[in-house]
Structures are given as structure tokens and as C-alpha cells.
């Protein structure tokens, strides 16, 4: 079915235009745009990893969400800005400009329909900056439009769990197709994981003490082939379904809280006081 992991009654495309026209409280209804990528994830994981993670986490969260909270999932935006992986066959990438235009135009359509709360739920590490630009520009154009550019993995319950599940080296350097993503795929799409092909590859050996990092406060620009011959940056050999199940549960719990908080969120508008 088209809705996949998403509960059918929370899947935006199954609504009719008259459903939308008659929908109450549209200004507080939470619309979630899951965003992933189609890109290489080493020889052991499918190209769909990031998109699948968005769909599975959001679907589980919406299943657990209080029925009284109106929230709907848009179709997954499968393609993203993945040009760091384009030397590996199978990677499909949009330019930053194209991704920005797509997100902006989807959001404008939702605004025109009366919605005022949009979550950009992104699971691909190569494009947060593009989505942050989109969110800021949309709010600049519509001062009553609350847009949240959020990373799927950055929810509170997960940080404690990852300290328990992963080694310090994996936490610092395991940024792509390593233990975390492989474990989660073993939980949600086990038939598409080829663990017999899994092999660890770290780009810089042991964690370094200089100020620059692959990702973080002081990053440098890189292409995946600069860091890895296999396309893996991390250690997938230690992944397990049990870890994946625990990660999925923690992510879903965090996203239930996110959606609840977006529903109750009120934009700060200090500028209005000057109009009184």
C-alpha cells in the first residue's frame, strides 16, 4: 500500500480536498514532511536507508500519538542532496537549489490550504543546512508559519541510549552505514540487509585531538570517497536487531513528544507589541 509504515488514517494523500476544506483547527494541525535520500550505504545496506528510517520512525510515532492530536504525514521525499556520495553507483542527488525549491513549493501549497505548522523531518546528514534555509525563508515570507527543520536522530531519549549501545569510536566516527543505521535497518527492513558483506572502515583511524571533525562544530568539506573505499564510515559488524529495536522505540518515543510539542507550540511574536 502507498502509506507503507504510516498509519493509513494519518496519511495526508488519502484525504480528499473536501476533507481538507472542512478540517477544523488547521492552524494547529501538524503536517510532517519526511525527507530521506537514495544514496549508497556500503555493500551491505540498500540505497533507501535514510528514507526508510524517516518512514519507519514517523509511522511508529504516529501510531503511538494521542488520537486527539491532529497530525498527518506527507509522502516521503525520497531524493535529497547526496552529492557527497555521487562517486558510488546508485546515488541519486538533487542540487541544493532543487531541493530548496521543492521544499519551498510544497510548503507554500500547504500554507495556501490553511496549514500553519510544518515539520521537515530529515534523516540524511548531507542536507540539514538546506532545510534550515527553507524554514527561515518560509517564516520570513509568512510570519504566522511555524516551520521546524529537524533531524530524525536528534531527539532526547536517544542520546542516553547511544552511550550505552555504541563505542566511543563509533559515536565519534561512525557517521554512515555503521552500527546505528545497520542495526535500525535490521529492525525495519531485515530482508534487505546483507550482513555477510558488512565490514568496518574508519576514515581517520582513532579519534583525533585536533579541532576539525568530519561533522560537528568545526567541520571540513569532504566527499565520501575521501574517507572510505567501501562507502562505509563506521563499524556495521557489531550491529544487531536487538539494538535496532531499541533505537526505533527510542526514536518513536522522541518523535511522539516532538509532534505533541509542535501541536501546542505558539510562535513568539515580540514585534506585535510595537503595533499596539
Amino acid at each position: 500500500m502507498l502509506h507503507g509504515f504510516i498509519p493509513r488514517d494519518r496519511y495526508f494523500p488519502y484525504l480528499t480536498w473536501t476533507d481538507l476544506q472542512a478540517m477544523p483547527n488547521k492552524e494547529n494541525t501538524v503536517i510532517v514532511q519526511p525527507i530521506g535520500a537514495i544514496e549508497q550505504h556500503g555493500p551491505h545496506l540498500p540505497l533507501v536507508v535514510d528514507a526508510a528510517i524517516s518512514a519507519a520512525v514517523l509511522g511508529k510515532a504516529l501510531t503511538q500519538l494521542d488520537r486527539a492530536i491532529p497530525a498527518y504525514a506527507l509522502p516521503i521525499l525520497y531524493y535529497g542532496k547526496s552529492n557527497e556520495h555521487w562517486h558510488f553507483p546508485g546515488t541519486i542527488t538533487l542540487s541544493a537549489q532543487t531541493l530548496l525549491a521543492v521544499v519551498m513549493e510544497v510548503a507554500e501549497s500547504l500554507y495556501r490550504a490553511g496549514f500553519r505548522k510544518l515539520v521537515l523531518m530529515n534523516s540524511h546528514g548531507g542536507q540539514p543546512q538546506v532545510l534550515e534555509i527553507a524554514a527561515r525563508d518560509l517564516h520570513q515570507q509568512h510570519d504566522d508559519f511555524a516551520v521546524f527543520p529537524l533531524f530524525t536522530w536528534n531527539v532526547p531519549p536517544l542520546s542516553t541510549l547511544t552511550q550505552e549501545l555504541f563505542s566511543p569510536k563509533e559515536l565519534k566516527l561512525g557517521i554512515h552505514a555503521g552500527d546505528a543505521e545497520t542495526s535500525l535497518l535490521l529492525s525495519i527492513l531485515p530482508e534487505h540487509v546483507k550482513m555477510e558483506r558488512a565490514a568496518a572502515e574508519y576514515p581517520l583511524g582513532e579519534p583525533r585531538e585536533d579541532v576539525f571533525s568530519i561533522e560537528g562544530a568545526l567541520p571540513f568539506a569532504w566527499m565520501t570517497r575521501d574517507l572510505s573505499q567501501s562507502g562505509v564510515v563506521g563499524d556495521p559488524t557489531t550491529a544487531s536487531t536487538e539494538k535496532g529495536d531499541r533505537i526505533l522505540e527510542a526514536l518513536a518515543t522522541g518523535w511522539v513528544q516532538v509532534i505533541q510539542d509542535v501541536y501546542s507550540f505558539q510562535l513568539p511574536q515580540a514585534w506585535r507589541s510595537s503595533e499596539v
Side-chain angles (χ1 to χ4, degrees), residues 79-160:
Y79 303 128
K81 181 183 178 294
S82 298
N83 57 321
E84 69 269 33
H85 298 290
W86 76 347
H87 299 99
F88 294 82
T91 296
I92 298 175
T93 184
L94 304 179
S95 67
Q97 294 84 351
T98 298
L99 177 60
L100 180 62
V102 169
V103 172
M104 294 287 289
E105 291 177 25
V106 168
E108 288 286 356
S109 297
L110 293 166
Y111 186 88
R112 195 163 55 247
F115 297 101
R116 297 295 181 265
K117 292 183 176 180
L118 172 63
V119 176
L120 304 175
M121 179 191 188
N122 171 46
S123 295
H124 168 45
Q127 58 202 15
Q129 299 85 353
V130 177
L131 303 179
E132 289 166 4
I133 290 169
R136 182 64 57 83
D137 285 0
L138 286 163
H139 182 58
Q140 183 265 323
Q141 293 171 20
H142 305 290
D143 55 39
D144 60 344
F145 202 5
V147 186
F148 303 81
L150 307 180
F151 193 53
T152 301
W153 294 82
N154 285 351
V155 289
L158 193 65
S159 58
T160 302

Side-chain angles (χ1 to χ4, degrees), residues 145-267:
F145 202 5
V147 186
F148 303 81
L150 307 180
F151 193 53
T152 301
W153 294 82
N154 285 351
V155 289
L158 193 65
S159 58
T160 302
L161 180 61
T162 56
Q163 298 295 322
E164 175 189 341
L165 295 182
F166 307 124
S167 69
K169 184 175 181 179
E170 186 70 5
L171 288 171
K172 185 175 179 66
L173 296 177
I175 65 168
H176 192 73
D179 195 343
E181 285 189 319
T182 303
S183 292
L184 192 46
L185 264 290
L186 284 170
S187 177
I188 64 177
L189 288 178
E191 66 276 19
H192 297 293
V193 180
K194 300 175 173 64
M195 284 302 290
E196 71 278 6
R197 300 183 185 176
E201 186 172 357
Y202 288 107
L204 304 173
E206 294 300 317
R208 293 160 43 148
E209 297 303 322
D210 58 22
V211 297
F212 301 112
S213 60
I214 303 171
E215 293 184 342
L218 296 172
F220 59 91
W222 49 264
M223 302 298 285
T224 306
R225 71 173 182 178
D226 297 332
L227 308 179
S228 170
Q229 292 183 338
S230 67
V232 173
V233 184
D235 185 1
T237 65
T238 54
S240 70
T241 303
E242 179 186 2
K243 286 184 186 177
D245 291 345
R246 294 179 67 187
I247 293 168
L248 179 60
E249 189 61 45
L251 287 171
T253 298
W255 274 89
V256 168
Q257 186 63 56
V258 166
I259 296 168
Q260 290 172 342
D261 288 354
V262 170
Y263 173 67
S264 61
F265 181 81
Q266 297 298 314
L267 275 167

Side-chain angles (χ1 to χ4, degrees), residues 46-59:
L47 303 171
V48 79
V49 167
D50 295 338
I53 288 171
S54 280
V57 171
L58 179 56

